[in-house]
Amino acid sequence: MELRDLQLNIEEHLGKNVKLEGWVKKIRAQKNFGFIEFNDGTYFQGIQLVFDDNLVNFEEISKLSIYSSISVEGKVVKSEGKGQNYEIKIENISVFNKADISNPLQNKRHGMDFLRTIAHLRPRTNTFNAVFRVRSLLAYAIHKFFMERNFVYVQTPIFTGTDAEGAGEMFQVTTLDLNNIPKTEENKIDYKEDFFGKPSFLTVTGQLHVEAFASAFHNTYTFGPTFRAEESYTTRHAAEFWMIEPEIAFANLETNMDIAESMIKYIIKYVMDNAPLEMEFFNTWIEKGIIDKLNNIVNNEFGRVTYTEAIEILKNSKEEFTIPVEWGMDLKTEHERYLAENVFKKPVFVTDYPKDIKAFYMKLNPDNKTVRAMDLLAPGIGEIVGGSQREDDYDKLVNVMQKKGLNIDDYSWYLDLRKFGSFPHSGYGLGFERMLMYITGIANIRDVLAFPRTAKSLEY
Amino acid sequence: MELRDLQLNIEEHLGKNVKLEGWVKKIRAQKNFGFIEFNDGTYFQGIQLVFDDNLVNFEEISKLSIYSSISVEGKVVKSEGKGQNYEIKIENISVFNKADISNPLQNKRHGMDFLRTIAHLRPRTNTFNAVFRVRSLLAYAIHKFFMERNFVYVQTPIFTGTDAEGAGEMFQVTTLDLNNIPKTEENKIDYKEDFFGKPSFLTVTGQLHVEAFASAFHNTYTFGPTFRAEESYTTRHAAEFWMIEPEIAFANLETNMDIAESMIKYIIKYVMDNAPLEMEFFNTWIEKGIIDKLNNIVNNEFGRVTYTEAIEILKNSKEEFTIPVEWGMDLKTEHERYLAENVFKKPVFVTDYPKDIKAFYMKLNPDNKTVRAMDLLAPGIGEIVGGSQREDDYDKLVNVMQKKGLNIDDYSWYLDLRKFGSFPHSGYGLGFERMLMYITGIANIRDVLAFPRTAKSLEY
């Protein structure tokens, strides 16, 4: 059986024999008895195995190394020792594999930096076991939230021929031989020989593509990997990360905020309900008070304020910011955190930003100066969601694109959505890893990605 | 409100006023009344709107073009017309956007080839609306199946430094300027200047990485995009597609088959239960009898036969195959389909293939000639799942890798999994689009991908 089923129904199994297969997490043996902390990976909390020299292979078992894999049979009994209520009195152990003593993972606290150098083994530690279980639950919560609301999940393409936001640095993808790039007569790269017959890149967003699906399904979202070729060495940038991008037809910015707020509360609550042991672990070992922090989010209505009001609030505050506040500027993390932590003391949506600091596809307000953008700022982190109502007026959209220097031909299909039944619509983007860091308290994005890919780092 | 909520609870709304926002799917107007087939994208079946010249904008509405977007208010009434039981008697219509008459999507049957040239508009047609709704439900069913069984979803990396199976052709990813590739003194490419500091590629499988997580969580799966740079122009190959790869600790090949069989039955049933209108549509318009075909799969135990037995069956059959059957050969589609369609008349697992035609990581049988591989062959398609028990013996694995010419250093982390608590484990891969084609009857992979990417084709 699996440990999870045993732990969740342990009273039922009391006095009965069980069979488990898993790994030795700790072991201490005396002359004629011993204890193994055992786990099979299905449940955060392991179980203690007790064995004695009635075992035919007592000598072998006593000397087992950490992470050796074993199959055990024994009776579930109440434990008289400290630290656990139940244990298994072993009648039979067989060994699949004795972990080689060169195992870099030992029974002690390892630093996060060291564990990053053994990313293939670190999921076996408590910290990473908790992180990646929560990652899995969080991903599912996102799907569940949207599917319960009849959204259609669209897997937007990874390969793209255009730079979607006119922003992020992109990875180029090619099947050309870099040692021998084919050239045309004019000595330009002959892309006819490349796989797609033209330059191709990895996507930085699925938004534009999912807008096409919103015109067919009303309620849609993407959830997939996204790429940035920025050579950042911070704790918050990875070259490959996952993003959630809902797009909702006939939704204005208020509806957009309502959905983002419901989603965030839903997914946090889902993780807290379904990973109570992991959340306790984070609360104790990673970020003290994180459970209170998350409960505060789940149980309060988010604030809502316009950018112009926010600028006034910041200007009138007595806080001295490193970068002074001025209408027209992009808010920096210090400003965002001040708003969320000191002014609102909870997550707050800031809306209607100056058009010049926001993307081309955002809906222009009647004031002609601001766009229907929204950023959700959360205490302890700053911006966590960015979104907007989209410009649905063909002429206005073309106008902005031209002003921002985008090639209209590259976007003709996107413009078609404004030509053939244009509709008010809104959406937002949530960085999956950033959300996961917020929920777990993990400070480095490298520690919430299974095998992180960052500048100059591509191992495993 | 949304159309789906109205359609599913229409009796409740009878005689009441409702407000909907969506698109004109068809329209016919007489001198002083007219009908609109309306849909807002939330439900496969639209609703008829009836309007007359009491509307102040009767003239404008009468002339609306297909796919114009509108907001409507009116009373739900029983319909006396043919083809529908209910309709909405309109009291108020406002128009968001009149679809330009250059709209390539018109109220007639368009060919699949043509629709592929307007991939951003085709989700609005019945066929693609059904396909992409089912795609979304199928993806969710896969997550639901595994999450209900306490699996951990692992998002394995897209970037890789190694060619995972020593097989598939790969895309290279780079931030080097292809016009000006930096060279070392020895005139080799200077990868120090590339983003990762070394050659990097797009993954062809997440299996090896998810095996590391199986050693921590027991039950794991990946579900993400996968890439092949094969220049195929068939109806079944795309450069970018999604794959599901479960990996289960302490599972032998029998357990592996049990899980694959349960999963396939579960996800098919989930789609049939949750998309009845769409499935009826496929049954009528795309593949007659597809519902029976799928019910046959859901309701029968799959067959199981060894490769060696299968070869005997094929040899003893009176069928004349294009390629003659011989022990040691890889089965071709004609053989696979014959086994599934003529011999077993249901899906059948073929197991224990000759080692020379299978991947390096598959567990060697005691006969030293075959490996614990499994392929699931389904009527009408051939291979739909491929998997195996994995080689968990360090020495045997190194031996095969060397024979197959793999660079052991590239796989040192993978080999560690056999050194530090090696464990029996099994897994399989399911091509998401192939499964989707099987469930919908759609014959071309380009028609089940939102924006398909194939050789020489990268539009949108």
Side-chain angles (χ1 to χ4, degrees):
Chain A
M1 75 180 305
E2 294 185 357
L3 181 60
R4 180 185 170 84
D5 298 326
L6 177 59
Q7 291 281 34
L8 292 177
N9 307 289
I10 195 128
E11 282 287 344
E12 278 176 35
H13 289 89
L14 199 59
K16 294 186 187 153
N17 259 40
V18 295
K19 193 178 170 199
L20 295 163
E21 292 159 324
W23 293 272
V24 173
K25 292 297 174 116
K26 283 186 195 166
I27 183 163
R28 60 200 157 91
Q30 310 285 349
K31 203 175 157 207
N32 40 21
F33 65 94
F35 303 95
I36 290 172
E37 195 181 308
F38 171 92
N39 205 313
D40 71 356
T42 60
Y43 198 61
F44 192 66
Q45 188 187 321
I47 195 158
Q48 175 161 285
L49 313 179
V50 191
F51 62 97
D52 62 28
D53 56 7
N54 285 324
L55 289 184
V56 290
N57 52 353
F58 177 76
E59 287 296 317
E60 180 195 13
I61 300 304
S62 297
K63 290 179 192 140
L64 275 183
S65 47
I66 305 290
Y67 290 104
S68 291
S69 51
I70 55 179
S71 174
V72 297
E73 267 185 276
K75 191 190 279 186
V76 180
V77 296
K78 293 228 174 196
S79 175
E80 286 161 22
K82 274 193 285 186
Q84 66 281 320
N85 297 321
Y86 302 91
E87 60 193 20
I88 300 176
K89 207 173 158 347
I90 291 304
E91 288 162 14
N92 206 349
I93 303 193
S94 61
V95 178
F96 285 117
N97 178 258
K98 286 177 195 156
D100 192 276
I101 50 159
S102 66
N103 190 353
L105 214 54
Q106 288 301 318
N107 183 14
K108 60 168 190 172
R109 270 195 102 170
H110 294 288
M112 297 294 259
D113 288 348
F114 170 72
L115 289 170
R116 233 169 271 143
T117 69
I118 48 169
H120 59 307
L121 302 176
R122 67 180 183 171
R124 303 175 182 192
T125 66
N126 283 334
T127 301
F128 287 98
N129 206 270
V131 166
F132 290 112
R133 170 81 63 186
V134 165
R135 185 177 171 113
S136 170
L137 290 168
L138 186 64
Y140 188 58
I142 287 160
H143 285 301
K144 202 163 182 305
F145 173 84
F146 287 117
M147 295 307 284
E148 285 173 358
R149 282 151 190 81
N150 193 39
F151 278 58
V152 166
Y153 173 37
V154 184
Q155 287 140 331
T156 47
I158 307 297
F159 290 125
T160 176
T162 47
D163 178 341
E165 302 198 16
E169 291 170 65
M170 300 179 88
F171 288 97
Q172 184 163 2
V173 184
T174 184
T175 53
L176 296 177
D177 177 0
L178 301 197
N179 277 304
N180 193 8
I181 303 259
K183 295 283 171 80
T184 62
E185 281 176 19
E186 299 85 40
N187 203 32
K188 290 189 169 166
I189 299 168
D190 187 2
Y191 277 112
K192 280 207 304 295
E193 296 196 21
D194 205 352
F195 188 85
F196 291 113
K198 61 179 177 184
S200 52
F201 306 92
L202 296 181
T203 186
V204 298
T205 171
Q207 180 200 314
L208 306 196
H209 292 93
V210 83
E211 283 187 51
F213 277 73
S215 80
F217 290 106
H218 203 292
N219 305 319
T220 56
Y221 71 106
T222 69
F223 184 9
T226 316
F227 306 88
R228 292 283 189 290
E230 284 166 47
E231 208 169 312
S232 318
Y233 294 87
T234 75
T235 56
R236 295 175 62 177
H237 290 88
E240 174 186 333
F241 56 95
W242 284 59
M243 199 145 71
I244 297 102
E245 295 176 287
E247 193 69 35
I248 308 116
F250 304 104
N252 59 18
L253 199 67
E254 281 66 37
T255 306
N256 204 26
M257 287 189 276
D258 292 344
I259 293 172
E261 180 167 342
S262 309
M263 182 203 71
I264 285 178
K265 290 175 174 174
Y266 181 100
I267 62 181
I268 290 176
K269 189 164 184 317
Y270 186 86
V271 167
M272 293 207 291
D273 289 347
N274 287 278
L277 300 182
E278 287 83 353
M279 290 311 302
E280 257 175 58
F281 177 86
F282 296 131
N283 204 46
T284 308
W285 297 103
I286 307 292
E287 180 183 327
K288 292 217 193 307
I290 195 167
I291 291 179
D292 286 345
K293 175 185 88 175
L294 297 174
N295 275 325
N296 179 46
I297 291 192
V298 170
N299 298 321
N300 280 296
E301 210 170 298
F302 293 3
R304 297 186 186 192
V305 66
T306 67
Y307 168 88
T308 303
E309 289 161 353
I311 290 289
E312 282 311 302
I313 292 169
L314 292 169
K315 276 189 159 174
N316 295 334
S317 78
K318 279 153 193 144
E319 192 75 5
E320 287 205 10
F321 296 110
T322 316
I323 298 174
V325 176
E326 206 65 62
W327 198 99
M329 77 185 296
D330 208 358
L331 297 180
K332 307 295 173 199
T333 304
E334 56 172 338
H335 311 126
E336 294 179 338
R337 292 187 57 170
Y338 183 82
L339 286 167
E341 289 161 27
N342 298 59
V343 182
F344 288 87
K345 299 182 170 56
K346 62 183 182 180
V348 54
F349 286 105
V350 179
T351 63
D352 302 289
Y353 283 77
K355 65 178 177 183
D356 293 337
I357 59 171
K358 288 292 183 184
F360 73 88
Y361 49 72
M362 298 189 177
K363 188 173 178 67
L364 190 63
N365 276 317
D367 65 13
N368 233 350
K369 288 194 306 194
T370 58
V371 288
R372 294 248 72 194
M374 67 181 209
D375 280 1
L376 178 62
L377 316 179
I381 189 164
E383 187 199 326
I384 194 154
V385 161
S388 73
Q389 185 164 341
R390 316 309 186 184
E391 184 56 77
D392 52 50
D393 183 286
Y394 181 89
D395 294 327
K396 285 185 190 166
L397 186 56
V398 168
N399 185 30
V400 179
M401 290 173 74
Q402 282 168 337
K403 277 198 184 137
K404 299 219 178 206
L406 297 173
N407 181 358
I408 301 291
D409 288 345
D410 286 349
Y411 297 87
S412 64
W413 67 269
Y414 183 67
L415 288 165
D416 276 358
L417 305 177
R418 275 75 180 168
K419 242 181 178 164
F420 308 129
S422 190
F423 54 108
H425 59 296
S426 300
Y428 61 88
L430 170 74
F432 183 62
E433 283 76 16
R434 187 170 283 198
M435 192 71 219
L436 187 56
M437 289 164 75
Y438 196 64
I439 290 180
T440 58
I442 295 290
N444 193 320
I445 196 169
R446 291 166 183 80
D447 299 329
V448 297
L449 283 153
F451 295 93
R453 272 70 172 102
T454 55
K456 304 301 177 213
S457 174
L458 178 63
E459 304 303 321
Y460 315 102
Chain B
M1 76 179 304
E2 294 185 357
L3 181 61
R4 180 186 171 83
D5 299 326
L6 177 60
Q7 290 282 33
L8 293 177
N9 308 288
I10 194 127
E11 282 286 345
E12 279 174 35
H13 289 90
L14 201 57
K16 293 185 188 152
N17 258 41
V18 294
K19 191 178 171 200
L20 295 163
E21 292 158 322
W23 293 270
V24 173
K25 293 298 175 116
K26 284 186 196 167
I27 183 163
R28 61 200 157 89
Q30 311 285 350
K31 202 175 160 210
N32 40 18
F33 64 96
F35 303 95
I36 290 173
E37 194 180 309
F38 172 91
N39 205 312
D40 71 356
T42 61
Y43 199 61
F44 191 66
Q45 189 188 320
I47 194 157
Q48 175 162 289
L49 312 179
V50 192
F51 61 96
D52 61 31
D53 55 9
N54 285 325
L55 289 182
V56 290
N57 52 353
F58 177 76
E59 286 297 316
E60 180 196 11
I61 301 304
S62 296
K63 288 178 193 141
L64 277 182
S65 48
I66 306 290
Y67 290 104
S68 291
S69 50
I70 54 178
S71 173
V72 297
E73 268 185 276
K75 189 190 281 187
V76 180
V77 296
K78 293 229 175 197
S79 174
E80 284 163 22
K82 271 193 287 187
Q84 68 281 324
N85 296 320
Y86 302 91
E87 60 194 18
I88 300 176
K89 202 167 163 351
I90 292 303
E91 288 163 15
N92 207 350
I93 302 193
S94 61
V95 178
F96 286 116
N97 179 259
K98 285 178 196 154
D100 192 276
I101 51 158
S102 65
N103 189 353
L105 216 52
Q106 288 301 319
N107 183 14
K108 60 169 191 172
R109 270 194 102 169
H110 294 288
M112 298 294 260
D113 288 347
F114 170 73
L115 290 170
R116 234 169 270 143
T117 69
I118 47 168
H120 58 308
L121 301 176
R122 67 179 182 171
R124 303 174 182 194
T125 66
N126 283 335
T127 300
F128 287 97
N129 206 271
V131 165
F132 290 112
R133 171 80 65 184
V134 164
R135 183 175 172 115
S136 171
L137 291 168
L138 186 64
Y140 188 58
I142 286 160
H143 285 302
K144 201 163 186 300
F145 174 84
F146 287 117
M147 295 306 285
E148 285 174 358
R149 282 151 190 82
N150 194 39
F151 277 59
V152 167
Y153 173 37
V154 184
Q155 287 140 331
T156 48
I158 307 297
F159 291 124
T160 176
T162 48
D163 179 343
E165 302 199 16
E169 290 170 66
M170 300 177 89
F171 289 97
Q172 185 163 2
V173 184
T174 184
T175 53
L176 296 177
D177 176 0
L178 301 196
N179 277 303
N180 193 11
I181 302 258
K183 293 284 171 81
T184 62
E185 281 176 19
E186 297 87 40
N187 202 30
K188 289 187 166 165
I189 299 167
D190 186 3
Y191 277 112
K192 279 205 305 295
E193 297 195 22
D194 206 353
F195 188 85
F196 291 113
K198 61 179 176 184
S200 54
F201 307 91
L202 295 180
T203 186
V204 297
T205 170
Q207 181 201 316
L208 307 196
H209 292 94
V210 83
E211 284 187 49
F213 276 73
S215 80
F217 290 106
H218 202 292
N219 305 318
T220 57
Y221 71 108
T222 69
F223 184 11
T226 316
F227 305 89
R228 292 281 191 290
E230 284 165 47
E231 208 169 314
S232 318
Y233 294 88
T234 75
T235 56
R236 296 175 62 176
H237 290 87
E240 174 186 333
F241 56 96
W242 284 60
M243 199 146 70
I244 297 103
E245 296 176 287
E247 193 70 34
I248 309 115
F250 304 105
N252 58 20
L253 198 68
E254 281 67 35
T255 305
N256 204 26
M257 288 189 277
D258 292 344
I259 293 171
E261 180 168 341
S262 309
M263 182 203 70
I264 284 178
K265 290 175 175 174
Y266 181 100
I267 62 181
I268 290 176
K269 191 165 182 317
Y270 186 86
V271 167
M272 294 206 293
D273 288 348
N274 287 279
L277 299 182
E278 286 82 353
M279 290 310 303
E280 256 175 60
F281 176 87
F282 296 131
N283 203 47
T284 308
W285 297 103
I286 306 292
E287 180 183 326
K288 292 219 193 304
I290 195 167
I291 292 179
D292 286 344
K293 175 185 89 174
L294 296 175
N295 275 325
N296 178 44
I297 291 192
V298 170
N299 298 321
N300 280 296
E301 209 170 300
F302 293 2
R304 296 186 185 193
V305 65
T306 66
Y307 169 89
T308 304
E309 289 162 354
I311 291 289
E312 282 311 301
I313 291 169
L314 292 169
K315 275 189 161 173
N316 295 335
S317 79
K318 278 154 193 142
E319 192 74 6
E320 287 205 9
F321 296 109
T322 316
I323 298 175
V325 176
E326 204 66 61
W327 198 98
M329 76 185 297
D330 207 357
L331 297 179
K332 307 295 175 203
T333 303
E334 57 172 337
H335 311 125
E336 294 179 340
R337 292 188 58 169
Y338 183 82
L339 284 168
E341 289 161 25
N342 298 60
V343 181
F344 287 87
K345 300 181 170 54
K346 62 181 182 182
V348 54
F349 287 106
V350 179
T351 63
D352 303 288
Y353 284 76
K355 64 179 179 183
D356 293 337
I357 59 170
K358 287 292 181 184
F360 74 88
Y361 49 71
M362 297 189 176
K363 189 175 178 64
L364 190 63
N365 276 317
D367 66 12
N368 235 350
K369 290 192 307 194
T370 59
V371 288
R372 292 247 71 192
M374 66 180 211
D375 280 358
L376 177 62
L377 316 180
I381 189 165
E383 187 199 327
I384 193 153
V385 160
S388 73
Q389 186 164 343
R390 315 311 186 183
E391 184 56 78
D392 51 49
D393 183 287
Y394 181 89
D395 294 328
K396 285 186 189 164
L397 185 56
V398 168
N399 185 29
V400 179
M401 289 173 77
Q402 283 169 335
K403 277 197 185 139
K404 300 220 178 202
L406 297 173
N407 181 358
I408 299 293
D409 288 344
D410 286 349
Y411 296 86
S412 64
W413 67 269
Y414 183 69
L415 288 165
D416 276 358
L417 305 177
R418 276 72 182 171
K419 244 179 174 164
F420 308 128
S422 189
F423 54 107
H425 59 294
S426 300
Y428 59 88
L430 170 73
F432 183 62
E433 283 76 15
R434 187 170 284 199
M435 192 71 218
L436 187 56
M437 289 163 75
Y438 196 64
I439 290 179
T440 58
I442 295 291
N444 193 320
I445 195 168
R446 289 166 185 78
D447 300 329
V448 297
L449 284 153
F451 294 92
R453 272 70 173 102
T454 55
K456 306 299 178 216
S457 174
L458 177 63
E459 305 303 323
Y460 316 99

